[in-house]
Amino acid sequence: MLKIRLRRMGAKKAPFYRIVVADSRAPRDGAFVEEIGHYNPLTNPAEVVVDADKAKQWIKNGAQPTETVRGLFKKNGVID
């Protein structure tokens, strides 16, 4: 099963996340299929950049977003 989830990047105590489509069995920072955006929680307000077309296409093809990613998508109007 494919998941749309966050992949942690950045330095210690300075997280930066990439929004990726990955196999649910792969490790958090392991292999992924495609990168569809990024999320920086340290800026004020938090910066979220998502390719909405790719995200919608992956969801249409059966990829399940995690709860955190689902919240980010709702805030940015990618999903209703």
Side-chain angles (χ1 to χ4, degrees), residues 5-8 22 24 35 43 50 58 62 67 70 74 77:
R5 64 184 185 194
L6 298 177
R7 179 176 196 231
R8 192 181 196 280
S24 61
E35 180 181 335
T43 60
V50 179
W58 278 110
E67 290 299 317
R70 185 183 312 272
K74 284 184 180 180

Side-chain angles (χ1 to χ4, degrees), residues 6-75:
L6 298 177
R7 179 176 196 231
R8 192 181 196 280
M9 307 292 286
K12 182 164 60 168
K13 304 217 181 210
F16 178 84
Y17 299 94
R18 289 185 180 166
I19 302 171
V20 298
V21 178
D23 190 298
S24 61
R25 297 169 293 183
R28 178 191 70 182
D29 299 335
F32 61 93
V33 178
E34 185 176 12
E35 180 181 335
I36 59 174
H38 65 269
Y39 167 56
N40 186 356
L42 297 181
T43 60
N44 192 11
E47 176 189 12
V48 179
V49 176
V50 179
D51 186 337
D53 293 333
K54 285 184 182 179
K56 288 177 184 177
Q57 186 64 38
W58 278 110
I59 291 171
K60 186 186 216 182
N61 289 338
Q64 297 292 318
T66 61
E67 290 299 317
T68 305
V69 172
R70 185 183 312 272
L72 292 173
F73 283 177
K74 284 184 180 180
K75 284 183 183 176

